[in-house]
Amino acid sequence: TEAASAIALGDADGHIEINRASTESTRLAEALNEMVDALRLSEQRIKRFVADASHELRTPLTTLRGYSDLYESGALRSDADVADAMRRIRSEADRMNNIINDLLVLRTADETKSVLTPSRLDVIVTQCANDLRAVQPLRRIEVNVEFARVLCDPLAITQCVMALGMNALEHTNL
């Protein structure tokens, strides 16, 4: 009881000593120890996730600050330099927006139930390609898909295809 109370007060390092006799109290102690271990693992995952998210956001923020500092110091002398800096700032802002959207998707993933419906995967992919063309109209985006009806969450599939497409646009020069 004392160990369980300490755990309830936040002592995640606490464990309950287990008497090896096969009793209900032994099974309860084992279950509580498993719960403490699961909580500790969950806390470690959260810390790692926050560190990863912080790292992912730090790079575009540093780039934004760098270009704004260049502008403020007068180092961007020509209209072409300013235009290039603005394009890069926009690109980094879009990148941060994508990271934040991904974080929000992760946050709500456990809270929302997927609705599986018969959907046309070929239509979803074609619509995503059209959206990607709107984002970067000068890029060549080709889609070659065949009729495919699947049971899926069409919103989740759209998010996945768009994330892959945005990454392809960002990280390729084709």
Side-chain angles (χ1 to χ4, degrees):
T1 301
E2 290 172 9
S5 295
I7 292 167
L9 292 173
D11 181 8
D13 293 326
H15 269 81
I16 298 172
E17 286 187 41
I18 296 176
N19 176 351
R20 286 295 159 197
S22 181
T23 63
E24 286 184 29
S25 61
T26 299
R27 288 192 300 276
L28 177 60
E30 289 171 344
L32 285 171
N33 286 341
E34 287 175 19
M35 179 188 68
V36 168
D37 292 340
L39 287 171
R40 187 178 308 120
L41 181 61
S42 177
E43 187 175 306
Q44 290 169 352
R45 286 181 181 156
I46 289 169
K47 286 179 180 178
R48 188 170 51 245
F49 174 76
V50 169
D52 290 346
S54 298
H55 175 75
E56 287 296 319
L57 288 169
R58 185 171 288 121
T59 301
L61 283 171
T62 300
T63 303
L64 290 173
R65 177 165 292 263
Y67 280 107
S68 64
D69 289 347
L70 284 173
Y71 178 77
E72 192 173 81
S73 70
L76 303 175
R77 301 194 186 278
S78 70
D79 288 345
D81 289 341
V82 173
D84 183 56
M86 290 299 111
R87 181 186 58 76
R88 290 176 184 227
I89 286 171
R90 172 64 187 246
S91 174
E92 292 302 303
D94 289 344
R95 184 171 158 201
M96 287 188 339
N97 189 49
N98 289 337
I99 292 168
I100 291 167
N101 286 339
D102 290 346
L103 293 174
L104 292 173
V105 167
L106 287 173
R107 183 187 68 84
T108 60
D110 290 337
E111 298 171 4
T112 59
K113 291 270 187 194
S114 291
V115 178
L116 302 180
T117 59
S119 304
R120 294 269 312 269
L121 190 57
D122 54 315
V123 171
I124 293 171
V125 170
T126 301
Q127 289 172 344
C128 288
N130 291 336
D131 292 345
L132 292 167
R133 285 185 195 100
V135 171
Q136 290 195 15
L138 300 178
R139 293 288 295 269
R140 187 185 80 192
I141 299 172
E142 294 181 20
V143 176
N144 185 6
V145 293
E146 295 182 17
F147 174 87
R149 184 177 300 277
V150 295
L151 185 63
C152 69
D153 178 344
L155 295 175
I157 296 297
T158 299
Q159 279 184 310
C160 290
V161 172
M162 287 299 293
L164 289 170
M166 291 299 290
N167 284 340
L169 290 176
E170 183 178 337
H171 298 291
T172 64
N173 294 321
L174 300 176

